């Protein structure tokens, strides 16, 4: 099982250079927003529609050094994974390009779809 984090490739390159990843939300909300594969299209289409410079970071939750909690912070009815601390890079198993379709909305990349 993996969890996903939506980010820019530039932010990922910065994280690699620094040695850890700290999303802006870690400072403002106390955690890094993540999603399961089944959930990721909801925040993608609500908050990132039309944005073309994104990737989906794939994270192995068993390798996280920071605390992981599943929470419904916005009363959406969905328990989203949140990382309470910096993301250690050895928990990242890879990333895939995450570009919107022609209408600006996102679809799940083929590599993440169930067979």
């Amino acid at each position: 099982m993996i969890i996903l984090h939506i980010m820019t490739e530039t932010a990922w390159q910065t994280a690699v250079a620094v040695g850890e990843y700290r999303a802006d939300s870690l400072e403002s909300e106390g955690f890094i927003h993540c999603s399961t594969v089944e959930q990721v299209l909801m925040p993608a289409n609500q908050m990132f529609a039309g944005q073309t410079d994104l990737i989906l970071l794939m994270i192995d939750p068993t390798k996280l050094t920071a605390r992981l909690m599943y929470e419904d912070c916005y009363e959406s009815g969905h328990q989203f994974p949140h990382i309470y601390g910096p993301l250690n890079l050895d928990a990242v198993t890879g990333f895939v390009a995450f570009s919107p379709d022609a209408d600006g909305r996102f679809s799940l990349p083929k590599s993440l779809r169930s067979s």
Side-chain angles (χ1 to χ4, degrees):
M1 174 171 179
I2 61 167
I3 58 174
L4 304 171
H5 176 69
I6 302 168
M7 65 188 301
T8 66
E9 189 168 355
T10 301
W12 173 242
Q13 291 169 356
T14 300
V16 169
V18 171
E20 67 179 10
Y21 175 64
R22 293 178 166 269
D24 291 341
S25 66
L26 186 55
E27 179 68 30
S28 63
E29 298 179 66
F31 58 84
I32 299 172
H33 290 268
C34 295
S35 304
T36 64
V37 172
E38 296 78 20
Q39 295 170 324
V40 73
L41 294 180
M42 182 188 317
N45 288 316
Q46 288 176 353
M47 301 179 341
F48 299 97
Q51 193 168 336
T52 59
D53 60 343
L54 300 175
I55 62 171
L56 284 176
L57 202 63
M58 298 180 289
I59 302 163
D60 180 344
T62 66
K63 294 184 179 179
L64 289 171
T65 56
R67 183 172 49 125
L68 177 67
M69 294 184 61
Y70 284 77
E71 304 171 293
D72 183 357
C73 291
Y74 306 105
E75 299 179 16
S76 68
H78 299 275
Q79 299 282 321
F80 283 89
H82 296 146
I83 302 171
Y84 278 85
L87 172 59
N88 53 300
L89 302 187
D90 60 334
V92 176
T93 62
F95 67 87
V96 293
F98 195 45
S99 299
D101 298 329
D103 64 359
R105 296 187 54 79
F106 290 92
S107 299
L108 200 60
K110 289 180 184 179
S111 61
L112 294 176
R113 295 180 197 158
S114 304
S115 328

